[in-house]
Amino acid sequence: MTPDVRSAAVTGREVAVLVGLQASGKSTFYRQCLAATHAHVSKDNWPNARHRQRRQLRVIAEALGEGHDVAVDNTNPAPEEWGPLIVTAKEHGARVVAYWFPPDLTASLDRNARRTGRARVPEVGVLATAERLRRPRLSDGFDAVHTVTFDGRGGFTVREEDDPRAAGTGPGHDAGM
């Protein structure tokens, strides 16, 4: 049985999937760039839940059903994690955008070491994620893929990938990237 898939143009909804190592800037990016427009969904919100993936998919579906855009703030390192997010988004007629945080293992380990309490991830966890981490592509089912880097001024530079215009320089593009 095929689900009733509506066009994202009809719903106007978006699911932003943040993809990167722990301590790569994903949550800070969410707060600075997406918090005003997207509901925050993260498995970290339910550390003791038995079926965190099922709960996450249910919360995403509920938010989309209520007319909200959603940002999924997990490491989402590979298709096994982002595939179900794409399916859920498409079933609700939402556009799916990947925000790729290219790995800088040294910097992530340093930022992670400065975290305290539950926010600090064991180093082995960061290294395990680095082993699995793969850059998302349009061919994975995303409607757009953006690369996010620190801008050196406390903010971020976002560049759309898989777009012929991204090869040039100019507004929204950084020459050294």
Side-chain angles (χ1 to χ4, degrees):
M1 181 171 178
T2 306
D4 176 25
V5 179
R6 292 171 281 155
S7 165
V10 172
T11 68
R13 294 292 122 224
E14 177 180 278
V15 173
V17 179
L18 310 184
V19 180
L21 294 175
Q22 298 91 333
S24 63
K26 296 181 309 298
S27 295
T28 302
F29 175 78
Y30 169 78
R31 286 190 299 273
Q32 288 184 12
C33 301
L34 299 175
T37 57
H38 291 66
H40 185 257
V41 176
S42 173
K43 290 179 185 176
D44 291 344
N45 294 336
W46 317 292
N48 300 317
R50 285 176 110 176
H51 304 286
R52 293 179 350 157
Q53 176 70 351
R54 272 194 280 180
R55 185 171 184 176
Q56 175 176 261
L57 294 173
R58 187 180 72 242
V59 170
I60 292 167
E62 289 169 357
L64 290 170
E66 294 169 0
H68 301 289
D69 291 336
V70 176
V72 183
D73 182 9
N74 300 313
T75 57
N76 300 308
E80 294 79 23
E81 286 79 23
W82 67 58
L85 305 174
I86 292 169
V87 169
T88 298
K90 299 286 184 181
E91 286 175 347
H92 289 84
R95 181 173 186 259
V96 190
V97 179
Y99 286 89
W100 164 241
F101 294 74
D104 181 340
L105 185 57
T106 301
S108 287
L109 288 170
D110 180 55
R111 283 188 295 272
N112 184 58
R114 289 184 266 140
R115 291 176 165 180
T116 59
R118 288 187 146 218
R120 187 173 183 174
V121 177
E123 188 172 300
V124 69
V126 178
L127 296 172
T129 301
E131 287 291 318
R132 298 189 60 235
L133 188 63
R134 182 169 82 62
R135 180 194 179 282
R137 299 178 185 92
L138 292 176
S139 61
D140 293 317
F142 291 103
D143 296 300
V145 176
H146 301 297
T147 298
V148 181
T149 55
F150 291 104
D151 68 4
R153 298 179 305 274
F156 297 91
T157 298
V158 179
R159 185 181 57 178
E160 186 168 356
E161 296 295 319
D162 300 307
D163 179 341
R165 296 169 294 158
T169 58
H173 303 286
D174 285 306
M177 295 192 359

